Amino acid sequence: GLPSPYLTLIFTLDEPLTIEAHPDPGQPPGEFRALLGGLHSAPALIRHDGAQSGLQLALRPPGVRALLGLPAGELAALDVHAEAVLGGVCAELRDRVRSVTSWRRRFAIIDEILLRQLMARDSPAAPAPEVLHAWRQLLRAGGAVRVGDLAAATGWSSRHLTSRFRAEIGLTPKAAARVIRFDRAKQTLIRHVSTGASPDGSVETGGYQLADLAADTGYFDQAHLAREFRALAGVPPSQWLAEEFRNVQAGNWLADGG
């Protein structure tokens, strides 16, 4: 489970979700029928026996107050049983989703129940406009914005922005920029490999290598990209690629030594 700019909400259909290691090393392993995970800057280790069924939603941090009634910052680096926040909604959703076989119907049930949950809540206090502006600027720039520049645009000091941002979002602006940049690099890597797969199972990257990925996604160089992958994914990019795309030969990517 890799860091991303979104909170994770998972409802399992059959077997529970087993987490062997959480982003917070102090949190013990556990099994979850419904999981709610906050923003984090370290990977989670998820174990299964070859099959895992369920539905996963990505929640934008500024919208968490409206749906869950609390700021995303209260869930920072945590994986919790979703029932602790959403209550009986989780059991209802799981039972109804399991009673139908159409994925379209399952998605419609999720929309119905979560929209009802949203409408039933009193209007929560909105995140501060300064925090929203900083968050949107980070997303728009792919993480390539200095905290001082964000603070200057809001009229706050860097220290005050960092404190308010972390309380609302769950990461400091600097950590959020790091996660956003990493997620952008990961998605770019997936896109190049997925669109480059040839009929024989090999991957044609057209000469695009990890050094190009680093330059395109805001890293100083390939070594910087590799260090960040090791820190945020637990493995270098070439190893992550090999494990995620086991059925392809990654060609130039794996030969690139990252």
Side-chain angles (χ1 to χ4, degrees):
L2 302 186
S4 82
Y6 307 100
L7 285 81
T8 301
L9 179 58
I10 296 175
F11 300 99
T12 62
L13 294 181
D14 295 303
E15 53 288 305
L17 184 70
T18 301
I19 300 187
E20 294 284 353
H22 298 269
D24 178 359
Q27 188 174 356
E31 292 188 345
F32 299 80
R33 290 291 180 184
L35 176 138
L36 177 60
L39 295 193
H40 51 98
S41 55
L45 181 60
I46 301 169
R47 178 179 61 81
H48 61 80
D49 296 323
Q52 187 78 60
S53 59
L55 300 109
Q56 177 172 326
L57 291 82
L59 307 179
R60 294 184 177 92
V64 166
R65 277 183 181 269
L67 181 63
L68 304 181
L70 49 78
E74 292 192 19
L75 297 165
L78 293 177
D79 294 314
V80 302
H81 293 278
E83 295 88 347
V85 178
L86 289 169
V89 165
C90 296
E92 177 193 356
L93 190 150
R94 188 165 180 271
D95 288 345
R96 289 183 58 187
V97 165
R98 293 183 69 192
S99 70
V100 299
T101 57
S102 162
W103 283 105
R104 178 176 295 180
R105 180 60 185 141
R106 286 169 173 168
F107 296 146
I109 290 171
I110 288 180
D111 287 345
E112 174 198 333
I113 291 178
L114 294 185
L115 181 60
R116 188 185 71 206
Q117 180 79 6
L118 186 67
M119 299 300 291
R121 290 197 179 278
D122 294 332
S123 298
E130 292 84 353
V131 171
L132 286 176
H133 174 78
W135 175 254
R136 289 167 181 161
Q137 286 296 106
L138 283 168
L139 287 177
R140 187 174 296 115
V145 184
R146 296 175 55 206
V147 177
D149 294 336
L150 290 174
T154 64
W156 287 354
S157 69
S158 295
R159 183 175 181 178
H160 186 62
L161 174 63
T162 294
S163 175
R164 293 287 300 273
F165 191 97
R166 178 170 49 199
E168 185 65 41
I169 303 298
L171 295 172
T172 66
K174 185 175 181 179
R178 187 183 182 204
V179 167
I180 289 168
R181 182 174 54 193
F182 167 76
D183 186 69
R184 181 184 176 196
K186 184 194 71 174
Q187 298 299 337
T188 302
L189 178 58
I190 291 172
R191 184 168 64 252
H192 273 278
V193 172
S194 299
T195 58
S198 61
D200 64 0
S202 64
V203 173
E204 299 298 332
T205 63
Y208 191 90
Q209 300 188 7
L210 291 177
D212 302 305
L213 178 66
D216 289 346
T217 53
Y219 292 94
F220 294 123
D221 52 28
Q222 182 181 328
H224 184 204
L225 169 68
R227 287 196 302 272
E228 287 293 271
F229 245 89
R230 288 188 183 95
L232 297 176
V235 295
S238 56
Q239 183 179 340
W240 178 80
L241 181 64
E243 293 176 356
E244 286 293 308
F245 293 85
R246 294 178 186 272
N247 61 329
V248 300
Q249 297 294 323
N252 289 339
W253 297 98
L254 298 183
D256 208 25

